[in-house]
Amino acid sequence: KQEVTQIPAALSVPEGENLVLNCSFTDSAIYNLQWFRQDPGKGLTSLLLIQSSQREQTSGRLNASLDKSSGRSTLYIAASQPGDSATYLCAAINNFNKFYFGSGTKLNVKP
Amino acid sequence: EPEVTQTPSHQVTQMGQEVILRCVPISNHLYFYWYRQILGQKVEFLVSFYNNEISEKSEIFDDQFSVERPDGSNFTLKIRSTKLEDSAMYFCASSTEGSTGELFFGEGSRLTVL
């Protein structure tokens, strides 16, 4: 069974800092890895999808990389802003058509 | 921008009662899912649905759970006899493709079982 782990569980940084969130998965036979943002009491907003043939995806200040062989993905957030404060979840999907989620990294960006 | 919509946003029910959670997936999507998140825990897969049948389900999705696509737009999750441990946020999601498609989630339905 796929196990997805996210480190750190929580992170507090001053505004403007660049930061990296880590995601690791045990089964490298994944099709996709997707990063989500979750605000308190809300749904999951898709940030970036990396397909297994890709190594990275970029959207604005966000960059996600994928290294299947080592079972790792990172989400890089440049020039963090208070509005980036949320929980960030990564999820890996394998050939059984279901996503396995990590526990998330709770990010607090201080003004 | 198209989105997945869910109703109700919050439902409170007594233990043993039946609950139906409703979802309208994005209109051109073919794969539909239910996930749940117990407070403070990971988001967990419940079931996937494609071509009017269940394609995959987890061990959580026992005989008390069922899904249906009663018409061309709605996708429902029914819990026949709710238990206290069913209290959670239930998320509906949809995608254009199965294992390779981007997943889009609704805002969730919070179920509280008393």
Side-chain angles (χ1 to χ4, degrees):
Chain A
K1 183 188 170 185
Q2 178 76 274
E3 293 289 339
V4 179
T5 305
Q6 291 188 246
I7 295 172
L11 185 62
S12 185
V13 300
E15 183 177 2
E17 196 160 296
N18 302 325
L19 53 101
V20 175
L21 308 182
N22 296 294
C23 171
S24 62
F25 46 94
T26 54
D27 183 354
S28 62
I30 62 169
Y31 278 66
N32 284 350
L33 190 133
Q34 194 166 349
W35 283 91
F36 297 88
R37 169 186 173 136
Q38 186 176 31
D39 292 287
K42 299 289 189 180
L44 283 70
T45 301
S46 177
L47 297 173
L48 288 165
L49 170 73
I50 312 176
Q51 295 183 329
S52 61
S53 58
Q54 299 171 323
R55 291 193 65 85
E56 66 178 293
Q57 282 287 332
T58 298
S59 176
R61 294 182 293 108
L62 305 180
N63 175 277
S65 67
L66 174 64
D67 184 345
K68 279 182 60 178
S69 60
S70 66
R72 279 191 265 184
S73 177
T74 59
L75 179 67
Y76 175 82
I77 302 177
S80 57
Q81 302 170 357
D84 295 331
S85 297
T87 296
Y88 290 80
L89 301 171
C90 70
I93 185 169
N94 59 15
N95 59 342
F96 292 107
N97 200 25
K98 55 186 174 182
F99 276 83
Y100 292 91
F101 280 82
S103 298
T105 294
K106 187 173 183 179
L107 174 65
N108 178 36
V109 181
K110 297 171 288 187
Chain B
E1 186 176 321
E3 58 182 17
V4 177
T5 57
Q6 291 186 240
T7 55
S9 57
H10 189 193
Q11 182 157 357
V12 181
T13 190
Q14 295 290 325
M15 192 169 57
Q17 294 296 303
E18 176 182 285
V19 162
I20 297 176
L21 305 178
R22 292 181 169 81
C23 169
V24 179
I26 295 173
S27 62
N28 65 334
H29 285 189
L30 302 175
Y31 294 80
F32 314 116
Y33 308 84
W34 285 99
Y35 284 78
R36 79 172 185 189
Q37 186 177 33
I38 294 171
L39 189 64
Q41 297 187 22
K42 288 185 178 184
V43 176
E44 301 173 289
F45 170 81
L46 290 178
V47 66
S48 59
F49 192 86
Y50 169 72
N51 201 26
N52 285 319
E53 61 183 25
I54 290 173
S55 54
E56 187 73 27
K57 61 182 180 179
S58 73
E59 58 274 10
I60 303 168
F61 195 87
D62 61 20
D63 292 344
Q64 293 300 310
F65 291 87
S66 62
V67 289
E68 196 177 40
R69 188 156 163 82
D71 53 42
S73 61
N74 290 286
F75 179 50
T76 62
L77 174 69
K78 182 193 291 186
I79 309 174
R80 284 192 188 81
S81 178
T82 49
K83 303 188 281 281
L84 296 175
E85 54 266 37
D86 293 329
S87 294
M89 184 76 97
Y90 288 81
F91 293 108
C92 175
S94 68
S95 68
T96 54
E97 300 169 51
S99 300
T100 57
E102 186 174 3
L103 204 59
F104 293 89
F105 280 81
E107 286 291 300
S109 294
R110 180 170 297 284
L111 176 64
T112 302
V113 182
L114 302 176

